[in-house]
Each structure stands twice: as C-alpha cells, then as structure tokens.
Amino acid sequence: MRTAAVTAVGHFLPEERLTNADLEEMVDTSDEWIRKRTGIRERRILRDPEKATSYMATRAAEELLDKRGIGAGELDAIIVGTVTPDMFYPATACLVQTELGAARAFGYDLSAACSGFLYALGAGAGHVAGGQCEKVLVIGADKMSSIVDYTDRSTCILFGDGAGAVLLEPAGAVGAEGRGLHDLHQRVDGSEWENLCQPGGGSRRPPTHQSVDRRDHFLKQNGRPVFKQATRRMAEASLEVMQRNDLTPEDVDYLVPHQANRRIIEATAQQMNLPPEKAMMNIGDYGNTTAATIPLCLHDWEPELRAGDRLILTTFGGGYTWGAGLLEWAYDDASIDN
Ligand code: UT7
C-alpha cells in the first residue's frame, strides 16, 4: 500500500493582532488571568467583512504551491477542515478550487471542529493510499472571530483566525519511501455535544430574529468538562498510537498538539513522558485557531524538522471529536528536494 507523505506546508495569518490588553477593554478579564489559565498573549483577527475562511485557505494554499513549485492544475483534491465555512454550501473547498484555478480537482469540507485538520489529513491520505489521487491539498482554516461572542469572557479570550495547509503525495513518488502518515486513531462521542457547540443557524434551530436575540449563532463552551476530556483523550489517543507502533518517548521527536490551552498541552506531554520542549506550542501568539492549529505548528517548526523525524499529531474538539496520528516527516528544511 502507498503511504501519503506531507511534501509542503503553507500558512496564512491575518495581520491584525487582538491582544490581552485589547480584551481587557472589551470584557471583565485581565492579561494575567488569560496568560495563567491559557498561555495566550494575543490572537490574529481577519477584520475585513468581505474576507472569509476561503480567503485565508486560498492564501495558505498559494504559499504551499509556490514552495512546492507546482501549479494548482496539478491538484487532484482539496479538503478543507473548518467549522466556519464561508456558507453552509457551496463547500469552502469549491471556493478555494475556483480561486486557485485547480481545474481538475474535486473537493469537500470536513466538519470536525478542532479535529478538522487531523480528520482531513486522514481522508486525504486515504485518497492517496488508495491510488485515487497523486496530489491532495489538505487545509485547516477557521475565521473564529465570525462565531465568537465578544461579550462572553469565557470564550472570546481563547480564539483567533488563521489557516494552514499541507500537500499530500505518495511517498514513493518524491523519494521518501516508507515515510508519511503511518497510523491514525480517531474517535467521536456526541453524548456531551452541548458542552461545545454553535446551537443556532442549522436545521435544528434555523436563524430567526429570536435566535439572533438569544445569541444562538455564537460559539458556546462549558470550559471545565471540555478541559477535563481534552486532557484525558489527547493523551489516551497519543499513547494508543505510540503503543501500537512500538514507540518509546525517546522515539518521538515532536508532539504536534491542537492548541486549545497551554495547560492541556503540558499535561498531554507529561502523560506521554515527553519532555515539554518536544511539544510544539504557538498558542501564545495565535490563540486557538480551531482547524488551523496543527498545520500552523507544522509551518512554524518546518525549518527544524528533518526527514525521518517522528511526529505524533493529536487533537480534541467539539463533538466531541479526538484522535492522534503518527507522521514520519519526509524532508529537510523548507521543501522537498525534487
Ligand atoms: O479547542 C476545543 C477544545 N477546547 C478546549 O480544550 C478548552 C478547554 N477549556 C479550557 O481551556 C478552560 O476551561 C478555560 C480556559 C476555558 C477556562 O479555564 P478554567 O481554569 O477551566 O476556568 P473556569 O471556567 O473554571 O473558571 C474559573 C473562574 C470562574 O470564576 P469563579 O466562578 O471561580 O468566581 C470564571 O468566571 O474564572 C472566571 N473566568 C474568568 N476570569 C477572568 C472565566 N473566564 C474568565 C476570564 N477572565 N476571561
């Protein structure tokens, strides 16, 4: 069976920064509380109302195509993990396809909240491994500022906007035989869905004047139980992947965790017996960008990654959705050498 390797990474972050000091002006909070409880210093916000998730996803994709030195016409598929699509339909992937000019690609959106990127990576790797596709663009992108209630101090301090993208190709086609996505463990449990959701706007509570007055169209979170589950499930899934691939903590070069809270990341690394410096962490600069957190980590650490490095990717999000994967990195520095 063919393995799918990551052969390029792209990203997009809006320029505007929303700092803890800015939030102090908006809700009853403090820089000290936010830093201590979450590790976040600032987040990026895409203020322009004309620009939505597809804009950020397309910019991330363009950077990736440029680095890989290929045209959009070579893409076979585009998968966008997001909970903030431009619209319910058409899929954001269709808007990205047309903006890029990816003439022969098919595409779809994948809704798995913060796990959107990892699930999309699994779906994309399946298209490659099954022989259906040679080049799959996998994007995690969210304009969280479009669904965050900036009067709710328990959530508005957490989230930011951004996009990250990877290209998947058969490892054998790029001289990286045996590297790529080796394993993926995924789970969902809907029994506590109300702890993290956007209750309004869908077919259960279609938008009405009343639903808007009730602020049903904004993200709601009951933070404490989500925190507890995230800490438990990310470690559990990562340990499962380590165990079934016979990996010791020394064999793992990096943990690439979803960035929801510094304390969750540290607890996950600790339960895996990994030193904290092996855990990628950029939550301080971007906050929680939902589906974009993992590819944004891959982007920020890309210059340090070496061919053969073993990465455990792990995530937890609304649904609940969670999982972990083993990705063997395919190239050195900033691009694959072919
Ligand atoms: O990405 C998807 C998955 N999401 C997550 O994994 C998020 C998981 N949850 C968390 O990260 C944390 O639960 C939060 C950061 C959201 C909250 O931290 P916490 O330590 O769980 O705080 P808490 O909700 O238990 O609240 C503690 C206190 C409360 O006051 P009282 O009731 O003790 O008087 C809150 O009202 O902190 C208060 N509080 C705040 N104070 C200042 C809540 N938000 C704020 C705030 N500023 N922004």
Side-chain angles (χ1 to χ4, degrees):
M1 181 148 133
R2 315 201 294 179
T3 50
V6 169
T7 59
V9 183
H11 88 303
F12 176 83
L13 287 160
E15 273 171 30
E16 183 175 336
R17 292 169 154 84
L18 182 68
T19 66
N20 291 350
D22 296 329
L23 286 161
E24 283 176 347
E25 305 289 315
M26 297 160 64
V27 289
D28 180 16
T29 191
S30 68
D31 174 51
E32 194 202 347
W33 191 95
I34 301 172
R35 281 180 196 245
K36 206 165 136 210
R37 305 308 291 169
T38 71
I40 303 169
R41 293 183 300 273
E42 60 182 32
R43 329 101 192 99
R44 302 297 185 89
I45 302 293
L46 185 65
R47 191 72 66 188
D48 186 342
E50 297 298 315
K51 291 179 176 151
T53 294
S54 67
Y55 173 83
M56 297 192 294
T58 305
R59 301 289 88 73
E62 284 169 347
E63 185 182 79
L64 172 157
L65 293 170
D66 194 43
K67 280 163 79 176
R68 183 71 183 91
I70 61 168
E74 291 190 46
L75 296 173
D76 299 305
I78 301 170
I79 312 175
V80 182
T82 187
V83 285
T84 52
D86 288 33
M87 297 162 257
F88 273 156
Y89 67 90
T92 310
C94 300
L95 306 174
V96 173
Q97 177 276 333
T98 201
E99 243 206 272
L100 287 177
R104 59 186 189 85
F106 74 98
Y108 53 92
D109 289 2
L110 196 151
S111 173
C114 299
S115 304
F117 177 79
L118 191 69
Y119 283 27
L121 191 74
H127 294 311
V128 171
Q132 184 191 8
C133 297
E134 297 298 310
K135 288 182 171 59
V136 178
L137 177 60
V138 176
I139 305 174
D142 271 302
K143 185 178 176 180
M144 294 307 290
S145 61
S146 68
I147 59 165
V148 163
D149 182 350
Y150 286 98
T151 66
D152 173 7
R153 70 172 182 175
S154 71
T155 55
C156 73
I157 55 140
L158 297 171
F159 295 95
D161 301 338
V166 301
L167 186 67
L168 290 175
E169 299 180 71
V174 293
E177 285 82 359
R179 303 214 160 110
L181 187 69
H182 291 306
D183 194 11
L184 193 55
H185 169 77
Q186 290 164 290
R187 291 284 302 277
V188 304
D189 178 355
S191 63
E192 292 183 36
W193 68 269
E194 280 166 299
N195 284 333
L196 183 46
C197 64
Q198 184 188 338
S203 59
R204 186 177 293 209
R205 287 195 210 169
T208 60
H209 289 293
Q210 290 86 337
S211 78
V212 172
D213 289 344
R214 280 196 308 266
R215 311 180 86 74
D216 284 352
H217 55 294
F218 287 126
L219 171 157
K220 317 276 178 209
Q221 179 173 244
N222 186 6
R224 252 183 240 191
V226 178
F227 183 96
K228 227 171 113 182
Q229 286 290 333
T231 310
R232 175 179 162 203
R233 298 305 197 176
M234 279 170 51
E236 206 175 77
S238 301
L239 287 166
E240 166 84 24
V241 166
M242 283 173 71
Q243 195 190 6
R244 65 193 194 193
N245 292 279
D246 283 327
L247 297 178
T248 66
E250 290 70 38
D251 297 327
V252 177
D253 295 289
Y254 291 98
L255 175 67
V256 195
H258 170 55
Q259 310 278 307
N261 189 313
R262 177 178 47 76
R263 294 183 290 142
I264 296 173
I265 296 168
E266 286 170 354
T268 305
Q270 195 180 20
Q271 289 179 74
M272 295 167 69
N273 276 321
L274 293 181
E277 60 274 14
K278 281 194 179 180
M280 295 184 186
M281 192 152 21
N282 54 19
I283 187 171
D285 297 327
Y286 315 139
N288 182 349
T289 54
T290 303
T293 60
I294 290 180
L296 283 174
C297 280
L298 294 176
H299 170 267
D300 286 1
W301 266 260
E302 188 186 37
E304 270 122 79
L305 293 173
R306 292 290 166 269
D309 279 354
R310 290 194 196 91
L311 280 51
I312 301 265
L313 280 49
T314 187
T315 185
F316 183 87
Y320 300 131
T321 56
W322 70 95
L326 171 61
L327 178 68
E328 192 176 336
W329 202 247
Y331 57 95
D332 296 324
D333 303 316
S335 66
I336 200 134
D337 188 20
N338 89 329

